[in-house]
Amino acid sequence: MSKSMDERMAFLEDRIAGLEDRMAIYQLLATYGPAVDSLSAPTVGGLWTKEGIYDADGKTPYVGNEQIGNLVQGDLHQSFVQQGCGHVMSMPHIVLDGDTAVATGYSRVYVHSGDNWHVKRVSANRWELDRTADGWRVVRRLNRVLNGSEEPRRILGRELESEASGDGA
Amino acid sequence: MSKSMDERMAFLEDRIAGLEDRMAIYQLLATYGPAVDSLSAPTVGGLWTKEGIYDADGKTPYVGNEQIGNLVQGDLHQSFVQQGCGHVMSMPHIVLDGDTAVATGYSRVYVHSGDNWHVKRVSANRWELDRTADGWRVVRRLNRVLNGSEEPRRILGRELESEASGDGA
Amino acid sequence: MSKSMDERMAFLEDRIAGLEDRMAIYQLLATYGPAVDSLSAPTVGGLWTKEGIYDADGKTPYVGNEQIGNLVQGDLHQSFVQQGCGHVMSMPHIVLDGDTAVATGYSRVYVHSGDNWHVKRVSANRWELDRTADGWRVVRRLNRVLNGSEEPRRILGRELESEASGDGA
């Protein structure tokens, strides 16, 4: 009797932990935009693990918290911020696997210009995440613009294959 | 005593199940874009029930997993993919009702063109969902472009009426 | 023994409540766009507390449910709706603190024009929320366009500071 209650409780704990993991990953991705657009270098860098990688096309990959945080000092980024910009992540597709996870989705960069904002970048993103003592952190982010080439399409499709005949959730 | 513990546990189980349902619907909607943009026809089709319907304006509704999956072969879609495109869903408003649900929100199609991405489509979406043995699946998706006509506005407002004086959540 | 079970249960209840809070705030923000784009004034107003404030740049702040709901009657809003428009919120960054919360994120207004939708507004948003007897409600929303000025950047960065060296979730 007590054992069965214990088992039910353990099962609930697992389900809650799974929900918390997903919610924490949503939160992490929702932190990135406000952090880069407010030039908050330590927050940007702190989303990654110590040896974390940010690999965006056309650039040498950034490695480690400091390099990644300092991307907000880049010329193009500074120019966007001066004009007025928003880096917006989509609600991601998430695959959890114990202490690792992959989030797949889109990022867009809107830049102010006259009476409108131009969409200067729409990219496919793959966020490889690890559970650390401080919470979920990015081990590697791949970012490739959706310009018709094959690689961004592969990034978007990669985690879907195992689900084609399975549960959408 | 044991009964009261049992009741508390059952109440928690219900609340967790409600959260899991919402999270699964977020995940389903976050799967659609990566699936169509990577031309993953079986994944696209598999988001719907066997008899599911995708009703997008200006087109004969697609019916069933295969027809819906094959929409990625359409001329316009193929042309967008060749140029570079992203189909991005907004975080939806969700109404859960036992084994059915309705998610209401926006979709946008960004298409690469020169130095920018053009927003080629912004639509109102109504996703009618059923809980199946394999998880949540789409029974019917209504998609109407926000071009100033009445129907997309009705789609956006339809599920809000019952909430006007109630709980926003 | 029974006490320990009780404690485990209470801990789970707290964690579930925290998840429900976040989910309710997502839902509230996902209600705003469909409400203004379908001209559902009572729903728009009802997202705020009785004395709630909506402070958008370039306008006298709206105060209270009725004034806020009636913003859908404004000339610019009506003109956007006639052309076809979508007000889309990003997945927000959320800081929960007991019965109050702050959600930080982006809003975009897409307006139909010829073969495209123009992005007429990209803003930084700060939603200050209270838990009320009817659920989470907006006490104050700050909305500032991302036009290169300092204030929207401060809005985006404000809640991140306490997290720079802490948990991303």
Side-chain angles (χ1 to χ4, degrees):
Chain A
M1 199 65 178
S2 166
K3 184 163 177 280
S4 135
M5 195 59 98
D6 219 57
E7 284 168 352
R8 274 172 80 182
M9 187 88 82
F11 182 53
L12 290 196
E13 284 165 348
D14 276 355
R15 290 165 66 187
I16 293 170
L19 288 164
E20 287 174 336
D21 285 341
R22 289 175 178 272
M23 201 63 100
I25 293 168
Y26 284 172
Q27 174 85 344
L28 190 155
L29 266 64
T31 305
Y32 179 82
V36 293
D37 290 326
S38 63
L39 303 173
S40 307
T43 304
V44 175
L47 299 174
W48 268 257
T49 60
K50 216 171 157 182
E51 317 270 296
I53 295 170
Y54 176 19
D55 178 349
D57 48 2
K59 300 180 198 161
T60 308
Y62 302 94
V63 180
N65 306 124
E66 197 177 333
Q67 256 187 43
I68 294 172
N70 286 340
L71 66 81
V72 303
Q73 305 302 339
D75 289 344
L76 185 61
H77 188 76
Q78 286 282 327
S79 137
F80 283 172
V81 169
Q82 294 310 316
Q83 294 171 75
C85 71
H87 288 70
V88 187
M89 300 298 129
S90 70
M91 194 175 59
H93 172 274
I94 297 175
V95 177
L96 281 176
D97 184 15
D99 293 335
T100 68
V102 177
T104 303
Y106 301 89
S107 57
R108 286 141 295 168
V109 183
Y110 302 90
V111 179
H112 188 226
S113 177
D115 285 343
N116 295 291
W117 277 256
H118 289 167
V119 187
K120 297 304 290 181
R121 196 174 168 91
V122 180
S123 305
N125 287 268
R126 176 183 175 86
W127 304 78
E128 299 172 355
L129 303 146
D130 267 10
R131 185 198 310 278
T132 76
D134 300 317
W136 287 94
R137 289 292 182 274
V138 184
V139 174
R140 192 172 70 130
R141 176 188 177 192
L142 273 180
N143 176 291
R144 294 290 182 272
V145 290
L146 286 155
N147 60 4
S149 65
E150 183 62 24
E151 197 184 359
R153 290 203 290 276
R154 273 203 305 268
I155 288 173
L156 292 174
R158 185 163 159 193
E159 293 301 320
L160 304 176
E161 287 163 29
S162 55
E163 296 182 6
S165 59
D167 191 315
Chain B
M1 199 63 179
S2 163
K3 185 165 177 277
S4 136
M5 193 60 97
D6 219 57
E7 283 168 352
R8 274 173 80 184
M9 187 87 83
F11 182 54
L12 289 196
E13 284 166 347
D14 276 355
R15 289 165 67 188
I16 293 170
L19 288 164
E20 288 174 336
D21 285 341
R22 289 174 179 273
M23 201 63 100
I25 292 168
Y26 284 172
Q27 174 84 343
L28 189 154
L29 266 64
T31 305
Y32 180 81
V36 294
D37 289 326
S38 63
L39 304 173
S40 307
T43 304
V44 176
L47 298 173
W48 269 257
T49 59
K50 215 171 157 182
E51 318 271 295
I53 294 170
Y54 177 18
D55 178 350
D57 49 2
K59 298 181 201 160
T60 308
Y62 300 94
V63 180
N65 305 124
E66 196 178 335
Q67 256 187 43
I68 294 171
N70 285 339
L71 66 81
V72 302
Q73 304 302 338
D75 289 345
L76 186 62
H77 188 76
Q78 286 283 327
S79 136
F80 283 173
V81 169
Q82 294 310 317
Q83 293 170 76
C85 71
H87 288 70
V88 187
M89 301 297 126
S90 70
M91 194 175 60
H93 172 274
I94 296 176
V95 177
L96 279 177
D97 185 13
D99 292 335
T100 67
V102 177
T104 303
Y106 301 89
S107 55
R108 288 141 295 168
V109 183
Y110 302 90
V111 179
H112 189 226
S113 177
D115 285 343
N116 295 289
W117 276 257
H118 289 165
V119 188
K120 296 305 290 180
R121 195 173 170 93
V122 180
S123 306
N125 285 268
R126 175 182 174 87
W127 304 78
E128 299 172 354
L129 303 146
D130 268 9
R131 185 197 309 279
T132 75
D134 300 318
W136 288 94
R137 290 290 182 276
V138 185
V139 173
R140 193 171 69 129
R141 177 189 176 191
L142 273 179
N143 176 291
R144 294 289 183 270
V145 290
L146 286 154
N147 60 3
S149 65
E150 183 61 24
E151 197 184 358
R153 291 204 289 276
R154 273 203 306 269
I155 287 173
L156 292 174
R158 183 162 160 194
E159 293 301 319
L160 304 176
E161 288 164 28
S162 56
E163 297 182 6
S165 58
D167 191 315
Chain C
M1 199 63 178
S2 164
K3 184 163 177 281
S4 136
M5 194 61 96
D6 219 56
E7 283 168 353
R8 276 173 78 185
M9 187 88 82
F11 182 54
L12 290 196
E13 283 165 348
D14 277 355
R15 290 166 66 189
I16 293 171
L19 289 164
E20 287 174 336
D21 285 342
R22 289 175 179 272
M23 201 63 100
I25 293 168
Y26 283 172
Q27 174 85 344
L28 190 154
L29 266 65
T31 304
Y32 179 82
V36 293
D37 291 325
S38 63
L39 303 173
S40 306
T43 304
V44 175
L47 298 174
W48 269 257
T49 59
K50 214 171 157 180
E51 316 271 295
I53 294 169
Y54 176 19
D55 177 349
D57 49 1
K59 300 182 200 160
T60 307
Y62 301 94
V63 180
N65 305 125
E66 196 177 334
Q67 256 186 43
I68 294 171
N70 285 340
L71 66 82
V72 302
Q73 304 301 338
D75 288 344
L76 185 62
H77 188 76
Q78 286 282 328
S79 136
F80 282 173
V81 169
Q82 294 310 316
Q83 293 169 76
C85 71
H87 288 71
V88 187
M89 301 297 129
S90 70
M91 193 175 61
H93 172 274
I94 296 175
V95 177
L96 280 177
D97 185 12
D99 293 334
T100 67
V102 177
T104 303
Y106 302 89
S107 56
R108 287 142 294 168
V109 182
Y110 302 90
V111 178
H112 189 225
S113 178
D115 285 343
N116 295 290
W117 276 257
H118 289 165
V119 187
K120 295 306 290 182
R121 196 173 169 93
V122 180
S123 305
N125 286 269
R126 176 182 173 85
W127 303 79
E128 298 171 355
L129 302 146
D130 268 9
R131 185 197 309 277
T132 75
D134 300 317
W136 288 94
R137 290 290 182 275
V138 185
V139 173
R140 191 172 69 129
R141 177 188 176 190
L142 274 180
N143 177 291
R144 293 291 183 270
V145 290
L146 286 155
N147 59 4
S149 66
E150 184 60 24
E151 196 184 1
R153 289 204 289 276
R154 273 204 305 268
I155 287 173
L156 291 175
R158 184 163 161 194
E159 293 301 319
L160 303 176
E161 288 163 28
S162 56
E163 296 182 5
S165 59
D167 190 317

